[in-house]
Amino acid sequence: MIRINGTDRASRTSEYESYNFGMYHVAANKKLYEPQRSTDFEFVITDIDNLVKVGPDKSVTIPNAQEILRFAVASAPVPHFEIEALEDRRGNSVQKFAGTPSFSSGSIQVRDWIGSDTAGILMSWQHLAYNVYTDKVGLLEDYKKDAVLIEYSPDRQIVRKWNMYGCWVSAISEDEFNNQQNQSTRMLTATIQYDLAKLDVSDDWF
């Protein structure tokens, strides 16, 4: 027995021993304790094929942009929302209750492939929201896209899938060029804003 807040309670030592907690417990329940690998995912931006390439010539397009980015994304954010806490005060006490939910922005890291022009794809998508050549802000229907984040098991079965709505690029950054360091693969980072994300609970995944 152990005493907690003035109350005698049974020790949980015997409970842990009965369940055999430890790696033997994991070994005996392999299906329950399959670890999720952080590398088993895909982040897909939809409806960005045939983007007009950044520049004054609007006749140049980038084909297959969706598939190029799908393969180029090295890291992607997991969508979550935060609920604003509202307060109601009475005398010396405070009650908190749920307010407006909001989804935080996230960042994707993309491999900088010269031949596939991944940098051009990201910049062209961003320019749909603001065109530096015309100093005009774009229309929602042009720059807001939907995205899908898919989490896979090691044998390529879908574990979870998030549908993200109203995605657009608010910022792009990349490391500076530096010939004083060891050679490394260049990466691009794009800040993705989105309005809503839902965990897909349907049974008709792909």
Side-chain angles (χ1 to χ4, degrees):
M1 299 291 290
I2 58 175
R3 195 168 185 82
I4 301 177
N5 295 332
T7 303
D8 291 330
R9 298 184 181 179
S11 170
R12 300 196 65 183
T13 302
S14 58
E15 180 182 343
Y16 287 129
E17 290 175 348
S18 65
Y19 282 112
N20 192 22
F21 271 38
M23 294 315 296
Y24 288 117
H25 175 78
V26 174
N29 297 274
K30 292 182 286 293
K31 187 173 182 179
L32 293 176
Y33 295 99
E34 175 68 49
Q36 177 63 44
R37 279 74 166 175
S38 61
T39 56
D40 294 335
F41 79 97
E42 281 187 308
F43 187 77
V44 186
I45 304 293
T46 62
D47 193 28
I48 58 170
D49 282 344
N50 297 316
L51 280 173
V52 176
K53 193 168 183 178
V54 173
D57 187 355
K58 295 184 178 181
S59 65
V60 180
T61 60
I62 305 175
N64 303 320
Q66 178 173 313
E67 285 305 306
I68 291 171
L69 275 191
R70 180 175 188 159
F71 194 57
V73 172
S75 66
V78 180
H80 289 286
F81 62 88
E82 181 177 343
I83 305 173
E84 179 188 11
L86 303 180
E87 294 184 351
D88 187 11
R89 297 177 179 271
R90 290 291 186 276
N92 294 322
S93 61
V94 177
Q95 180 186 19
K96 294 183 179 181
F97 52 97
T100 304
S102 61
F103 288 83
S104 301
S105 62
S107 296
I108 59 171
Q109 274 200 320
V110 178
R111 298 173 180 88
D112 187 7
W113 285 329
I114 299 173
S116 299
D117 197 13
T118 51
I121 292 172
L122 289 177
M123 288 188 292
S124 298
W125 181 14
Q126 185 185 35
H127 268 65
L128 294 176
Y130 171 72
N131 191 317
V132 70
Y133 293 96
T134 62
D135 195 29
K136 292 181 180 180
V137 174
L139 300 176
L140 293 177
E141 63 178 347
D142 293 329
Y143 67 80
K144 280 195 171 185
K145 309 296 182 181
D146 294 337
V148 182
L149 174 62
I150 310 168
E151 178 183 334
Y152 293 102
S153 63
D155 61 348
R156 209 58 178 177
Q157 297 184 59
I158 295 178
V159 178
R160 297 185 189 91
K161 176 179 144 187
W162 290 266
N163 295 312
M164 302 170 65
Y165 304 95
C167 303
W168 56 283
V169 177
S170 61
I172 298 174
S173 64
E174 53 186 311
D175 295 334
E176 65 182 12
F177 290 100
N178 189 335
N179 61 16
Q180 302 300 312
Q181 297 178 348
N182 293 331
Q183 288 189 0
S184 60
T185 302
R186 288 185 58 78
M187 306 290 289
L188 299 156
T189 301
T191 301
I192 303 294
Q193 307 288 341
Y194 59 100
D195 300 325
L196 177 66
K198 295 180 180 179
L199 183 64
D200 193 336
V201 294
S202 65
D203 295 328
D204 57 349
W205 284 350
F206 286 13

